[in-house]
């Protein structure tokens, strides 16, 4: 099983060490930074799977670090830890792209649950993104006419309706359909619809 690395960013060294011990006991690898500049450098130099960022980092705020990490393209989930557990702060943090919001003093079980949930969402997002890229790559193999037929199939049209709309014979539509399935290496129309919808060709409203 892959060991996940959690980056802890907190200017309170004692608090950061306490967090590192908790996460280490839970099976995570940790790396610690006490300021935004160090956290950014750490993110560029090594694999980070999730970050725990304190809201108040001395001369700056953790929200600024979250924004900067996003600007640099670091997609790992970022969990904000703060003693200011008000709705306004939570809303601000989530709008900036934080995966979750944990109040101090934190409950160890709740914190670990928040980390695991954030990692799971990140894994699901990565899987979905890869599936989306693959679906679009496959559909790019199709000719313009084949894409027209796929659009019509996803819209729920029968071969006869497609033939009438395109002014071709039903046999021609069936031939195109068979060629599309062969080209995309899928077995049936249901699989074709799933692939097309995944790629962004939606069903009729």
């Amino acid at each position: 099983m892959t060991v996940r690395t959690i980056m802890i960013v907190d200017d309170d060294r004692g608090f950061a060490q306490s967090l590192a011990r908790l996460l280490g006991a839970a099976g995570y690898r940790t790396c610690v930074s006490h300021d935004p500049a160090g956290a950014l450098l750490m993110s560029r130099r090594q694999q980070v799977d999730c970050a725990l960022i304190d809201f108040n980092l001395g001369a700056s705020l953790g929200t600024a670090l979250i924004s900067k990490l996003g600007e640099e393209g670091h997609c790992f989930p970022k969990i904000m830890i703060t003693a200011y557990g008000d709705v306004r702060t939570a809303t601000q943090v989530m709008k900036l792209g934080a995966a979750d919001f944990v109040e101090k003093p934190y409950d160890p079980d709740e914190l670990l649950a928040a980390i695991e949930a954030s990692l799971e969402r990140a894994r699901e997002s990565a899987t979905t993104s890869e599936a989306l890229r693959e679906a679009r790559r496959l559909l790019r193999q199709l000719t313009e006419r084949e894409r027209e037929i796929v659009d019509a199939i996803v819209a729920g049209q029968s071969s006869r309706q497609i033939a009438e709309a395109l002014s071709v014979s039903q046999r021609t539509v069936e031939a195109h359909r068979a060629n599309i399935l062969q080209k995309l290496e899928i077995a049936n129309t249901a699989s074709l619809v799933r692939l097309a919808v995944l790629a962004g060709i939606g069903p009729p409203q």
Side-chain angles (χ1 to χ4, degrees):
M1 182 178 178
T2 303
V3 178
R4 299 292 182 177
T5 297
I6 312 298
M7 179 173 70
I8 300 167
V9 189
D10 200 307
D11 62 338
D12 184 332
R13 295 174 182 269
F15 184 80
Q17 290 173 359
S18 173
L19 267 180
R21 286 194 295 270
L22 171 68
L23 297 177
Y28 293 107
R29 183 184 296 115
T30 61
C31 54
V32 179
S33 176
H34 302 297
D35 59 80
L40 288 170
L41 190 61
M42 196 172 285
S43 299
R44 296 166 189 155
R45 290 183 172 178
Q46 68 179 72
Q47 174 69 28
V48 173
D49 298 297
C50 181
L52 300 179
I53 302 172
D54 190 60
F55 182 78
N56 192 341
L57 294 174
S60 64
L61 294 178
T63 49
L65 176 57
I66 288 180
S67 295
K68 187 62 177 176
L69 287 168
E71 290 171 7
E72 293 195 1
H74 300 291
C75 298
F76 52 78
K78 306 156 190 76
I79 299 174
M80 182 67 75
I81 300 179
T82 179
Y84 308 100
D86 58 274
V87 174
R88 181 178 179 181
T89 301
T91 302
Q92 177 189 11
V93 167
M94 301 303 280
K95 282 183 176 179
L96 287 170
D100 211 334
F101 178 91
V102 176
E103 294 182 48
K104 290 181 178 179
Y106 65 87
D107 177 274
D109 291 335
E110 290 182 4
L111 177 62
L112 292 173
I115 292 171
E116 187 52 43
S118 295
L119 289 170
E120 181 59 29
R121 287 194 297 270
R123 284 192 291 267
E124 291 174 355
S125 178
T127 299
T128 299
S129 295
E130 180 58 35
L132 175 61
R133 285 192 292 271
E134 177 63 10
R136 289 177 173 171
R137 183 193 68 79
L138 288 169
L139 289 172
R140 282 197 296 271
Q141 301 177 56
L142 303 180
T143 64
E144 184 176 347
R145 174 47 59 91
E146 287 170 343
R147 279 297 302 270
E148 288 180 325
I149 291 175
V150 170
D151 290 344
I153 291 172
V154 174
Q157 296 183 24
S158 66
S159 294
R160 181 181 59 77
Q161 291 171 320
I162 296 171
E164 290 176 355
L166 298 179
S167 300
V168 297
S169 70
Q170 187 170 329
R171 179 174 296 180
T172 297
V173 172
E174 294 292 352
H176 277 303
R177 186 194 295 256
N179 190 53
I180 290 167
L181 296 180
Q182 182 178 20
K183 189 178 288 188
L184 299 180
E185 298 182 354
I186 53 181
N188 51 49
T189 300
S191 297
L192 172 61
V193 171
R194 282 194 295 271
L195 180 69
V197 171
L198 178 61
I201 303 174
Q205 299 299 316

